């Protein structure tokens, strides 16, 4: 039973727990029954020595440590529940001032959730992004559909042009010697993609299938050290030329890729879908801004352990997503060259935001005395059962009512924040056509000289070690 609960520092309480002699005796006997098979006492078969003989031989407290391990979890759990504290980590600094036939006295410390002072959470003013779908956005979606349904066709009646995809063998040489990573066979390269270092792709233009030729380039200064600024020759063999062929954007295309019969019908559908998506995005944007305002408005000294546990949770979520792709976290860290400490540090800011929001919503629930009825709880279990295609009873066993209730209360708190907010709808800005410039006088036109064009300087990226020809 809980004997005393005392706050000893910020977010830390010390508990004193008393276990009476009768309960401790039961635990000692359980420890004896568990351990006796391993104890040999002269005059008895192994495992058959009575408890009093063992205690007489090894001391009265021979089973105390094991007995304490048996009784400790339940005693601490009951004491925490009795204290009403919201403990966020395992107990620490355990002391055992008294232990014996008369019972046990435990002293331990626990970290609890911080006291939270709410800031603004009602009547928050936010603006909602305007929802407008432009003709260009509809065109872009149609172009994406064309791209998805495109096909690559072989070209054998002309030389390579920009935007073609070629299949080549290549091998690179510096000072007449082949270098590591500079060779590939049947490599697919789209001309103009900027995939390779400057000058490489341009020199393939104009060649035809079956040709073998050289490409001369200079590696950029910021390239990997052993190749930076060096001249190189690549031996090329051109196997094939392919070009992307887009389907015609007509009614026949529409019938092939959608449930509609005409291009106009498809355009209207695309516009409607884009509007709905933008509306959803706008609503989500408002909700995120409101919750961020509420979370950032609280005053609380958050225990570091809460942030660390949230980091653990986020990393576990990431590891689960990796596993779906056939990767484990250790392999991922190895590929990215990141150590575990730096990886964890990258999650700290997000974890702190999540913890602050959780605390803020719990504070709103408390301030507004938000409750969950039995009917609401039953309805939530039914929805979860449908979502996971499981029986309601199975869901109830795997998800405690307290967890489900907490989720419902948080949603209610969010709804309250949104319903009380002052949301201003932004107006869509109409583009006005630029005024047409007045025609110039003939004399002015003669005097004006065309502006001199300057070549755009391309910025190169650092070379990949796997293929030094790529940017």
């Amino acid at each position: 039973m809980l004997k005393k609960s005392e706050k000893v520092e910020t977010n830390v309480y010390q508990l004193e727990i008393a276990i009476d002699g009768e309960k401790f005796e039961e635990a000692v006997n359980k420890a004896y029954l568990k351990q006796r098979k391993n104890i040999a006492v002269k005059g008895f078969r192994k495992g058959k020595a009575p408890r009093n003989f063992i205690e007489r031989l090894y001391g009265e407290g021979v089973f105390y440590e094991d007995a304490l391990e048996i009784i400790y979890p339940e005693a601490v759990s009951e004491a925490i529940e009795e204290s009403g504290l919201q403990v966020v980590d395992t107990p620490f600094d355990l002391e055992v001032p008294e232990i014996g036939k008369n019972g046990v006295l435990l002293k331990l410390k626990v970290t609890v959730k911080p006291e939270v002072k709410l800031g603004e959470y009602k009547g928050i003013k936010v603006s909602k992004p305007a929802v407008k779908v432009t003709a260009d956005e509809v065109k872009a979606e149609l172009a994406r559909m064309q791209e998805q349904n495109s096909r690559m066709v072989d070209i054998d009646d002309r030389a390579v042009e920009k935007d073609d995809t070629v299949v080549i063998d290549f091998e690179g040489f510096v000072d007449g010697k082949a270098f590591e990573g500079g060779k590939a066979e049947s490599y697919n390269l789209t001309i103009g993609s900027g995939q390779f270092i400057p000058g490489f792709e341009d020199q393939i233009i104009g060649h035809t299938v079956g040709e073998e030729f050289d490409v001369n380039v200079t590696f950029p200064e910021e390239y990997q050290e052993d190749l930076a600024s060096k001249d190189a020759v690549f031996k090329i063999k051109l196997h094939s030329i392919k070009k992307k062929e887009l389907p015609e954007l007509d009614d026949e295309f529409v019938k092939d890729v959608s449930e509609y019969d005409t291009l106009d019908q498809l355009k209207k559908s695309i516009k409607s879908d884009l509007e709905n998506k933008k509306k959803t995005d706008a609503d989500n944007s408002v909700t995120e801004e409101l919750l961020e305002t509420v979370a950032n408005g609280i005053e609380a000294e958050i225990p570091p352990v809460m942030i660390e546990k949230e980091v653990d949770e986020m990393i576990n979520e990431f590891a689960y997503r990796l596993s779906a792709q056939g990767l484990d976290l250790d392999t991922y860290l190895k590929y990215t060259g990141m150590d575990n400490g730096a990886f964890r540090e990258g999650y700290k800011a997000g974890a702190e935001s999540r913890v602050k929001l959780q605390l803020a919503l719990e504070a709103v629930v408390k301030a507004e005395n938000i409750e969950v009825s039995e009917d609401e709880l039953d309805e939530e279990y039914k929805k979860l059962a449908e979502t996971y295609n499981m029986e309601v009873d199975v869901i109830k066993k795997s998800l405690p009512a307290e967890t489900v209730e907490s989720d419902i209360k948080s949603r209610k708190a969010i709804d309250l924040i949104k319903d009380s907010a002052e949301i201003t709808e932004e107006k869509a800005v109409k583009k006005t056509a630029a005024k047409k410039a007045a025609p110039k006088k003939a004399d002015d036109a003669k005097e004006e000289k065309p502006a001199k064009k300057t070549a755009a300087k391309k910025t190169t990226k650092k070379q990949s070690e796997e293929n030094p020809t790529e940017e």
Side-chain angles (χ1 to χ4, degrees), residues 254-461:
V254 171
K255 290 174 185 176
D256 288 340
V257 301
S258 74
E259 59 188 287
Y260 301 103
D261 294 322
T262 67
L263 187 57
D264 283 341
Q265 289 174 340
L266 179 59
K267 285 179 178 178
K268 287 177 183 177
S269 173
I270 290 172
K271 185 177 181 181
S272 175
D273 289 344
L274 289 174
E275 282 176 346
N276 290 334
K277 183 182 183 303
K278 285 194 172 188
K279 285 176 183 176
T280 300
D281 290 344
D283 288 338
N284 290 340
S285 174
V286 166
T287 301
E288 286 176 12
E289 186 175 346
L290 288 170
L291 295 182
E292 186 176 349
T293 299
V294 176
N296 290 336
I298 67 170
E299 292 180 23
E301 292 188 46
I302 302 173
V305 68
M306 290 188 72
I307 309 295
E308 292 300 326
K309 290 182 80 170
E310 193 64 36
V311 168
D312 290 339
E313 182 67 26
M314 295 172 77
I315 290 176
N316 287 337
E317 290 170 5
F318 179 74
Y320 179 78
R321 292 194 297 272
L322 278 181
S323 67
Q325 302 171 40
L327 277 175
D328 59 64
L329 188 57
D330 288 339
T331 304
Y332 171 82
L333 292 176
K334 183 180 177 182
Y335 284 162
T336 56
M338 192 181 300
D339 64 59
N340 193 57
F343 182 67
R344 287 184 65 84
E345 194 63 33
Y347 280 95
K348 284 282 179 72
E352 184 175 358
S353 296
R354 278 168 61 157
V355 170
K356 286 172 72 174
L357 178 58
Q358 174 195 340
L359 292 171
L361 292 177
E362 288 173 357
V364 172
V365 168
K366 184 177 180 181
E368 296 292 330
N369 196 27
I370 294 174
E371 297 291 343
V372 176
S373 68
E374 285 294 327
D375 288 343
E376 288 174 321
L377 186 60
D378 288 340
E379 187 61 31
E380 186 68 13
Y381 272 123
K382 286 178 184 176
K383 287 180 182 177
L384 290 168
E386 289 174 6
T387 300
Y388 295 104
N389 195 26
M390 297 168 68
E391 295 294 327
V392 173
D393 289 342
V394 176
I395 290 286
K396 284 184 176 180
K397 287 178 182 177
S398 31
L399 278 176
E402 293 81 5
T403 303
V404 179
E405 279 184 8
S406 177
D407 290 342
I408 298 172
K409 286 178 179 178
S410 292
R411 290 204 301 267
K412 285 187 172 186
I414 293 170
D415 289 341
L416 183 148
I417 293 166
K418 289 165 64 176
D419 292 343
S420 68
E422 294 182 25
I423 303 172
T424 305
E425 297 264 356
E426 294 177 0
K427 291 182 180 179
V429 180
K430 289 185 179 180
K431 289 184 180 179
T432 54
K435 290 183 179 179
K436 193 172 182 180
K440 296 177 180 176
K441 294 178 183 178
D443 291 342
D444 292 338
K446 288 177 184 177
E447 291 176 6
E448 184 177 346
K449 294 180 180 180
K452 196 172 184 180
K453 292 184 179 179
T454 56
K457 186 177 181 181
K458 184 176 179 182
T459 304
T460 59
K461 300 178 183 176

Side-chain angles (χ1 to χ4, degrees), residues 73 77 141 155 163 167 202 223 225 234 242 350-351 395 404 411:
S77 178
E141 181 60 21
I155 304 294
D163 297 327
V167 178
D202 292 341
Y223 212 72
E225 189 175 347
F234 284 88
K242 298 177 185 290
I395 290 286
V404 179
R411 290 204 301 267

Side-chain angles (χ1 to χ4, degrees), residues 22 84 176 180 183 192 226-227 253 266 275 360 389 405 415:
E22 185 178 343
E180 187 178 355
K183 181 178 181 180
D226 57 333
L227 294 173
F253 168 74
L266 179 59
E275 282 176 346
N389 195 26
E405 279 184 8
D415 289 341

Side-chain angles (χ1 to χ4, degrees), residues 139-261:
K139 285 181 182 177
E141 181 60 21
L142 286 169
R144 187 188 66 79
M145 294 177 73
Q146 281 181 290
E147 189 75 23
Q148 279 186 331
N149 291 276
S150 64
R151 65 190 185 104
M152 298 300 290
V153 294
D154 287 315
I155 304 294
D156 53 16
D157 59 351
R158 63 166 174 80
V160 177
E161 296 176 357
K162 188 175 180 295
D163 297 327
D164 286 344
T165 295
V166 296
V167 178
I168 58 172
D169 295 342
F170 64 81
E171 185 171 14
F173 298 84
V174 171
D175 296 331
K177 295 180 180 179
F179 55 87
E180 187 178 355
K183 181 178 181 180
E185 295 181 355
S186 299
Y187 191 93
N188 283 269
L189 173 64
T190 300
I191 305 300
S193 64
Q195 189 178 352
F196 281 17
I197 59 176
F200 188 100
E201 295 170 25
D202 292 341
Q203 293 179 58
I204 297 177
I205 293 174
H207 291 282
T208 56
V209 173
E211 274 192 74
E212 296 185 25
F213 53 94
D214 291 348
V215 165
N216 297 282
V217 294
T218 301
F219 285 104
E221 291 179 10
E222 67 271 26
Y223 212 72
Q224 63 189 62
E225 189 175 347
D226 57 333
L227 294 173
S229 301
K230 291 186 177 180
D231 294 330
V233 177
F234 284 88
K235 302 289 184 183
I236 310 292
K237 182 172 183 179
L238 178 58
H239 290 294
S240 66
I241 307 170
K242 298 177 185 290
K243 189 169 185 65
K244 186 181 292 182
E245 186 177 84
L246 298 177
E248 287 291 327
L249 200 57
D250 54 21
D251 290 349
E252 289 304 312
F253 168 74
V254 171
K255 290 174 185 176
D256 288 340
V257 301
S258 74
E259 59 188 287
Y260 301 103
D261 294 322

